[in-house]
Amino acid sequence: MKRTLLAMALALAGLMPLAHADVSDGHALPPGISWQQGDVPAAFARAKAENKPVFLYWGAVWCPPCNQVKSTIFNRPDFIAATRQFVPVYLDGDSENAQQLGEKFKVRGYPTMILFRPDGAEITRLPGEVDPERYLRTLQLGLTAVKPVKALLSDALAGNTLAAADWQLLADYAWDVDRGQLLPEKDVPATLAQLAERVPAEPAAVATRLQLKALAAQAGEKAPPAFDKRQARGRLLRVLADDKLSRANADVVIYAASDALKLLGDDAALRQAFDAQLKKLEADSTLSWSDRLGAASTLLSLYKQQHPKQPLPAGLVADVKAKAAEADKASANPYQRQAVITAAGELLSDAGLLDESDTLLKGELKTSHAPYYHMLILASNAKERGDKAAALDWYQKAYQASEGQATRLQWGASYVSNAVELAPQDAGRIELAASEVFADAGKSGSAFYERSRRSLEKVAGRLKTWNQDGKHADAVGRLAGQLNGVCEKLSAEDAQKPVCDGLVKELKS
């Protein structure tokens, strides 16, 4: 998964232990915070009465980055103390009306964390991929900000003078989960490039951060806007030569390395600088295990990128095995393990160690609070081996084990999609799987909003592709009729009805 924050394990110094955290109900959060769970209107009413901001956490029980945030941020004494300054509300993606609220707040990816004024105006979106110290600093800047980030962005682009703290808030804004809140998604890379050119040279750390974020955004684009590559390369080399700067921007160094090399030119000096810094970050015990495994994954990816047809060196394979084993051993509580085992399993798979990955993941199935996530990696491993039957079996098991409205639709869509890809001749399996997904949609009160809508759109699209030659018209016709029954139960005033009707129309076309 692109930009997935892989796993986490050892808590940083000062974190409260989570060994006794209970996640058996599937929705628990670390203790110590009075979360307003699910009832967003009540949270805003309380915020207005107490004249406090609202902190909205949008997440899911299964998602590795969410579990990392729980393990590295939400259990910190300083974060718990900070919650006295605002009303914290947890919106689980599977709770009733969560996907409808997701559309309202323009949130899509898990986790998304937003700070609001008591009147509902958005202040800023907090970056979930950074280390706790940067996160908490951004949170405090948001709590004391005179203007929301949207106004700061307008001022910066207009050439108005901003305070250093304002530039810091822009640099640490969660641009990857903005979803058009500040500006259209297609404009983010060019806008960040503009900000990088306008940010004052001092404080240098803020300028460097914004310049790196701009480079990362450009590197992720298929057709990035024009910019001075020589200047950007020089800036990047200066960061990679500085251990302190690289550590302060570890998230960008780790997760943008591959794209940056493709964008700036894969020359020996830049590659060597990345390799050297990634090895240091991989061994940095002050980093979360998610980032350490992320560094190991990037090192592996860069080697494969440079040597696509060569077997991996024995030393690199040994390092992958050692890092996965070390991370596994270091992970004690359920939140850590949900994140770290995912990361370690994917790292082993990427190194071609499919059996080792399977062993690690299967050992976790009985104790994980969301084993269906691990099953997807097991399915992917089977697919990599060419074992279609085993892959489909795991995709089916993952769907059957999944829990929650939005989650079941998402896992069901994955099962249908892979059944069409791996066994298009098995009409019975495909029709039954799609029928179960549509039945789940009928049980949900918000099946045609946000993530759930996209899951159903995926199912409809795959079924249409499967029937492009008309050979499965009868099966698809029955499924269209089933979905139409779901649509008929929606009132004409329900915003979901035209979406549902549109999917039926697509199936019939």
Side-chain angles (χ1 to χ4, degrees), residues 20-75:
H20 303 294
D22 179 17
V23 294
S24 59
D25 66 354
H27 293 276
L29 288 160
I33 300 173
S34 300
W35 292 96
Q36 188 96 32
Q37 294 206 36
D39 196 342
V40 176
F44 276 102
R46 178 182 155 196
K48 211 166 189 178
E50 299 177 8
N51 194 30
K52 288 181 177 180
V54 170
F55 175 89
L56 172 69
Y57 163 59
W58 159 271
V61 171
W62 50 263
C63 94
C66 301
N67 283 281
Q68 176 183 311
V69 167
K70 293 172 188 176
S71 296
T72 59
I73 295 173
F74 288 172
N75 63 336

Side-chain angles (χ1 to χ4, degrees), residues 379-401:
S380 179
N381 288 350
K383 186 190 287 191
E384 182 67 21
R385 292 188 184 95
D387 191 342
K388 295 181 180 181
L392 277 176
D393 185 47
W394 279 118
Y395 283 121
Q396 182 178 23
K397 286 179 179 178
Y399 174 41
Q400 291 172 341

